[in-house]
Amino acid sequence: MAEAEPPSSLSRCLDGESWETKDVLREEISRCELFQRSSYELSLDQIRDLTAERLHFVLKLPLMQRHLGDQVIGRKKGFINKSMGITELICSADMATGVKMGVVCGLYGGAVINLGSPEQVERLYVPVTELACTGMFALTERGHGSNARGILTEAHYEPSTQEFIIHTPCEDAQKMYIGNAMKGNYAAVFAQLIIKGESQGPHCFVVPIRDQYGVMWPGVTATDMKHKEGLHGVDNGILIFDNVRIPRENLLDKFGSVSADGRYSSPIRRKGDRFNAMLAALTPTRLALTVQAMAAMKLGLIIAVRYSHSRRQFGPKDQDEVKIIEHQTQYLRLMPHLAATLALTFTTRYTAGLMDDALCQGEDLQSNRPLQALVAGLKAYSTWANVACLQECRECTGGMGFMMENRIPSLKCDSDVFVTFEGDNMVMLQVVVRELMMQYTRQFEDSMVAGLIRNWTSSVSDSLRTSFLGFSVDKIGDLNFLLKALSYRERVLQRSLAARLHAKINKSKEEFFSAWNSCLHHVTSLALAHIHKVTLKLFALAVQECQVNDDRDLLTKFCLLHGTSLVYQERAWYLEHNYFSPGASRQIRSQAPDLSQSLRYCTLTTLFTLVNIRGTPASTPDSLHGKETHTHTFSDLTTFKYSRSTETQFLYLTGSAQIAVIALLELCRSVKDDALKVVADFNIPPCCIQAPIAGVAKPGAEWAFYPQPQSPTTQPHTQPHTQQRATSKL
C-alpha cells in the first residue's frame, strides 16, 4: 500500500498543538477492524456490543492510558485542548463511541475528579481507567431536565450505619436518558442530601448499579429505553432507586461532607452557590459537545463538497454538463457552513486554551463566570449550526445523500440530540445574556435591576468580557466593517433589552420571572449576536497568527465569508434599524447575482454607484461626511475604503455593510474550489468518512461510488470545445 502523503501546513494549522495525538489516533483507528464497517445493518444489541468493543479498544490504547493518567493527576498543561482533539477524532470514527466515551470518562470521570477527594478518585475512578469497570452520569430526571436544581431523588443519611439511603420517591424522580445505563457498573447520581429532615441541596453520590457479572445492586432497577432517533450504540435507560444503601464515603465531598455523626459542613455557605460550583466543575464536558457537533459538520461537508465536485448536471448547449458545485445555489448553500466550521475550529481551541490556563493556575471554574457563559453560548451556536449544515449537505447530495451508505443520514440522527443534550440551547443562551446584562447593570449602577438579576440567577457575576481578545482588528483591516456591524447589533440589542427590563420591573412593577420570560425572544437574539461576534473575532485572530502565507490567504477568504454570512443572515434586522436603506436592499437582492461575477474587479466607487449609499452622494464615496478614509484589501477580491466614525455616526456608514451583503455570492463562488483543499486538510481517515460518493469504496455499494475529485487547480486545462459531452450518473 502506498504511503500516505505527509499532512499539509494547513492540516497542521487546523489540528493545532495536539496534531501528534490526532495523528496517532488516525493511524490506530485506520488499522482497527472494528472501525472498518458501518453498523446500521446490525440489531440494536449488536450495535451496542460493537460500540462497547470500540470504546474498550480506544481506552486501552497507550496514548489514551497516558491521557487518562493525566486526567487523574490533574492540572496538566494542555489537557483540555488534547481532550477536545481526541473527542473530535473518536466522534469522526463513530459518534456513539465518542459520546459513550464522554459519558464514562468526561461525565462520570469528571464528576469524581472534580467533585471528589484524591482518595475517592483513586477508589472510584482509577478502576475505570484500568478498564475494570465503567461509569455513568445520572442527573436528569423525568420531571427535571433543565431545572436540575429541582431534582427529587433523595439521599438520607443514617448515622447508626454511616450510610446514605438513595431513594426515588415518585415517578418524576426517575433518572432518565442515562447513557451506559444497561452496561455500566457505577453511577454518579445527583440527589437532594437530607440530614435530620433538612435538605442541603443537590449533591453527587457514587452508587453501584451492577457488578462485573451484570448482577444488579440491591434496590436498583434499570429499564432499557431502547430505540432512539440516533446514537443506537449508546444504551440509554431509566434508573430507579428503592432505598439503596451506599457507604458514607461515596458522597463526593469537595463541596460538602457529612461526618460520621451526621454533621454537615461545606466551604460554600449558600445552597445555590454550592450547586453552581458542582455544575461549573463539569464545564469541560459542555465544550466537548461543541467539538462533537463540529466533527459531524466536518464529515458532512467532506462528503457534500467532494460529491459536488464529482457529480455533473446541466450545462451550456452542446458542451459538457458542469459539476454541480458550479451551480450558484450549490456553493451558496455549502460554503458558509464550511466557513462556520473553520470558525468553530479556532473558537473551540481558544476556549479550551482559556480553560487549560484557568485549571493549571488552580482557578476554580465556579469563579470564572465569563468562561462558563462563553462555553454555554458556543454549545448552543455550534449544535444549531450542525443541524443546519447537515440538512444542507443532505439536500446538496440529492438522493445519494439520503442513503445510509453515504453516512449523512446517520450523522444527522446521531447529532440531532446535541441541541438539548447537556443543557437545552434556549437555556444556554440565557446563561450568556444574564452575564451580559450583569455587565450592563454594573456599568450603569442600576442597583435595583442588578439586584433582581442577581437574585434570579446566582450563577452569574461580574462581566462577560466581550473584548477579551485584546487584539486590534485594524491588523486585518478588511474585516473591520464586519466586526463593527456585528458589534453594533450586539450593543443595540443589549441596550434595548436593558431598557425593556427596566421598564417592566421598575415602572410596571412586574415580577422578575414574568418580565424576563416576556423578553426571551429578545434574550436569545442578543446571545446569538454576541456569540457571532466572538466567533468572527477568534477566527480573525487565528488568521492573524497563521505563519504560512498561502494558508493565511486561504483562511482570510473563509473568515471574510463567515463574517459576511453572519451579517447577511440578519439583513432584515439591519433594515429595521436603518443600517440599510430599503431601496439599497432591494437593489442588492436584484443585482447581487449579476454582480457576483464582476465584484472582484470592482472598487468601492463602482459599488457606491450601484447601490446608492444612504445619505451619501454616489459620486463622492471617498469623502463620507468629511472623515478620513483608509484603504484596505478585501482579500484578493476587491479594494474598498471605509471611514472611521463614532458610534453615533455609524448608522450613516451603511456602504460597507451593503458591500458585505453583495459580496456573499462572490465570496462563496471564490472559495468553492478551495473547499476541496480545506476538507482534505481536515485529515479525516477514509474509514471514518465511509461514503462512496466521497471517493471511499465500499463492498456492495459500487452503485454509489464516485472517484475522489482532484482540485481544479491541479487538473490540466482543456478547452471546452475539445471535450465530449459528459453524461450524468443517475
Side-chain angles (χ1 to χ4, degrees), residues 183-249:
K183 292 182 178 291
N185 305 104
Y186 294 91
V189 177
F190 279 83
Q192 299 285 349
L193 172 57
I194 300 173
I195 300 177
K196 298 178 181 179
E198 181 182 355
S199 174
Q200 298 296 331
H203 285 63
C204 190
F205 305 81
V206 174
V207 181
I209 302 300
R210 55 176 64 80
D211 64 20
Q212 59 182 330
Y213 303 106
V215 178
M216 300 299 295
W217 190 261
V220 177
T221 300
T223 302
D224 195 345
M225 297 183 78
K226 296 190 176 180
H227 296 276
K228 310 182 294 292
E229 177 187 4
L231 295 177
H232 303 301
V234 181
D235 45 315
N236 293 91
I238 301 170
L239 295 179
I240 302 172
F241 305 103
D242 184 7
N243 296 302
V244 177
R245 292 178 174 269
I246 61 172
R248 179 174 64 91
E249 294 76 14

Side-chain angles (χ1 to χ4, degrees), residues 342-555:
L342 290 170
L344 283 169
T345 297
F346 296 115
T347 304
T348 53
R349 183 185 305 164
Y350 183 93
T351 307
L354 292 179
M355 203 174 294
D356 270 323
D357 291 343
L359 294 176
C360 285
Q361 294 168 10
E363 181 181 334
D364 194 332
L365 291 181
Q366 175 201 8
S367 62
N368 199 332
R369 301 291 198 264
L371 180 56
Q372 291 182 52
L374 174 59
V375 172
L378 285 176
K379 186 269 178 186
Y381 170 67
S382 63
T383 54
W384 273 328
N386 170 62
V387 170
C389 174
L390 291 179
Q391 182 60 30
E392 295 282 25
C393 290
R394 163 39 208 115
E395 293 182 26
C396 286
T397 50
M400 285 293 189
F402 187 66
M403 307 305 295
M404 290 297 291
E405 288 286 2
N406 287 315
R407 192 78 195 277
I408 293 176
S410 63
L411 288 171
K412 288 182 60 181
C413 293
D414 286 345
S415 61
D416 184 57
V417 70
F418 293 165
V419 299
T420 51
F421 185 42
E422 283 291 304
D424 182 275
N425 280 359
M426 290 297 180
V427 177
M428 295 297 96
L429 295 182
Q430 291 179 62
V431 172
V432 177
V433 172
R434 288 166 188 164
E435 285 289 328
L436 290 172
M437 296 312 296
M438 286 300 298
Q439 177 189 40
Y440 191 83
T441 52
R442 288 173 67 89
Q443 176 184 355
F444 290 95
E445 298 181 353
D446 190 339
S447 58
M448 179 178 181
V449 176
L452 287 167
I453 292 177
R454 290 190 191 95
N455 291 335
W456 170 245
T457 172
S458 58
S459 66
V460 299
S461 66
D462 296 334
S463 65
L464 183 62
R465 299 185 184 94
T466 59
S467 59
F468 63 86
L469 285 177
F471 90 99
S472 170
V473 296
D474 286 338
K475 295 177 182 177
I476 312 178
D478 50 6
L479 292 172
N480 196 25
F481 82 96
L482 294 171
L483 287 165
K484 279 186 175 181
L486 295 178
S487 297
Y488 171 75
R489 174 170 156 79
E490 179 192 17
R491 286 194 298 271
V492 170
L493 288 170
Q494 184 181 36
R495 290 170 183 169
S496 54
L497 177 60
R500 288 182 68 188
L501 290 173
H502 185 273
K504 288 174 179 290
I505 296 167
N506 284 10
K507 297 180 179 179
S508 301
K509 306 302 180 183
E510 289 187 31
E511 196 272 334
F512 186 80
F513 174 82
S514 298
W516 183 267
N517 190 52
S518 66
C519 295
L520 279 182
H521 183 268
H522 196 152
V523 166
T524 57
S525 296
L526 171 57
L528 287 172
H530 174 75
I531 295 300
H532 288 170
K533 185 191 72 175
V534 169
T535 61
L536 183 59
K537 277 191 171 184
L538 288 172
F539 197 170
L541 179 60
V543 171
Q544 179 185 352
E545 294 178 344
C546 183
Q547 299 300 310
V548 180
N549 290 338
D550 288 346
D551 295 343
R552 184 167 59 250
D553 291 344
L554 177 60
L555 290 174

